[in-house]
Amino acid sequence: MRNIQNENIQEHSMETAVFAHALAEIGNAYFESGYDANYAAVLALYHDVGEVIIGDLPTPVKYFNPQIKQAYGEIEDIAKHKLLSFLPTKLQKTYQPLFFADRHRPEYRLVKAADKLSAYVKCLEECAAGNGEFLQAKQSVFKELAKYQDIPAVQWFMDHCLDAYSKTLDELD
């Protein structure tokens, strides 16, 4: 898709980390979730690390069918292993769990939700700038966010914070 405002993996990862940290802190403050907010933030910083080598595919392509999704995941894992191999052996043990996150930890799913929030905010910004190519993506990502209804912090963020992303600095008060 054509972007009005370009975004790179570094900016996306940072935004996802900020959202993951915020979701964890919201979960802990309002819902006694017991998240490790710092771990969630660091995990989010590395959540797309494989894309440093292979780049990203648009979501409709990446998830077009199970075979493409699986193949892309395998390619991404190869890229992550390659990046890990560039590190000194003593540091590989530190970064391996960040490159290959434990999917059973609650922070993993929180990062997935933060990644979707980042995508949704990107859609909001592009639509606000007049880029109609993001209208369908906005609806699609919003539906994806519904899959995280079991994480109360996600709904809280959407109810209390998301509106600010559609405003200018002058409109915020």
Side-chain angles (χ1 to χ4, degrees):
M1 285 193 303
R2 180 181 55 84
N3 294 318
I4 290 174
Q5 182 177 10
N6 288 331
E7 177 184 66
N8 62 47
I9 189 172
Q10 185 177 21
E11 291 169 332
H12 168 68
S13 295
M14 176 64 181
E15 182 175 67
T16 302
V18 169
F19 286 156
H21 189 268
L23 290 175
E25 292 294 355
I26 291 165
N28 293 342
Y30 292 97
F31 306 104
E32 300 179 8
S33 300
Y35 293 120
D36 181 339
N38 294 330
Y39 172 69
V42 174
L43 189 61
L45 284 173
Y46 292 96
H47 83 281
D48 279 339
V49 71
E51 292 178 9
V52 168
I53 291 178
I54 63 171
D56 194 10
L57 285 175
T59 298
V61 175
K62 194 186 301 187
Y63 301 107
F64 181 73
N65 66 37
Q67 293 84 10
I68 291 175
K69 181 181 176 185
Q70 181 180 346
Y72 184 80
E74 290 170 5
I75 293 167
E76 194 171 28
D77 283 351
I78 291 167
K80 289 191 265 186
H81 281 294
K82 184 67 174 172
L83 287 169
L84 202 56
S85 76
F86 292 152
L87 294 171
T89 305
K90 287 186 177 188
L91 291 177
Q92 289 179 14
K93 289 182 265 182
T94 300
Y95 287 91
Q96 194 278 337
L98 297 173
F99 286 19
F100 299 94
D102 179 353
R103 294 172 185 234
H104 300 295
R105 289 201 51 178
E107 293 85 0
Y108 175 82
R109 195 141 188 281
L110 205 65
V111 170
K112 292 298 220 179
D115 190 30
K116 292 295 178 200
L117 277 173
S118 177
Y120 189 67
V121 166
K122 173 68 173 168
C123 292
L124 290 176
E125 291 170 347
E126 289 288 333
C127 289
N131 188 352
E133 290 191 40
F134 277 79
L135 289 172
Q136 187 174 353
K138 178 182 164 189
Q139 294 170 344
S140 176
V141 175
F142 187 80
K143 286 179 186 175
E144 286 292 313
L145 279 167
K147 294 179 180 177
Y148 298 95
Q149 287 179 349
D150 61 313
I151 303 175
V154 173
Q155 191 61 50
W156 192 98
F157 184 93
M158 292 177 73
D159 291 344
H160 295 89
C161 305
L162 204 52
D163 188 47
Y165 289 93
S166 297
K167 295 182 178 182
T168 66
L169 287 175
D170 292 333
E171 293 172 325
L172 295 172
D173 51 18

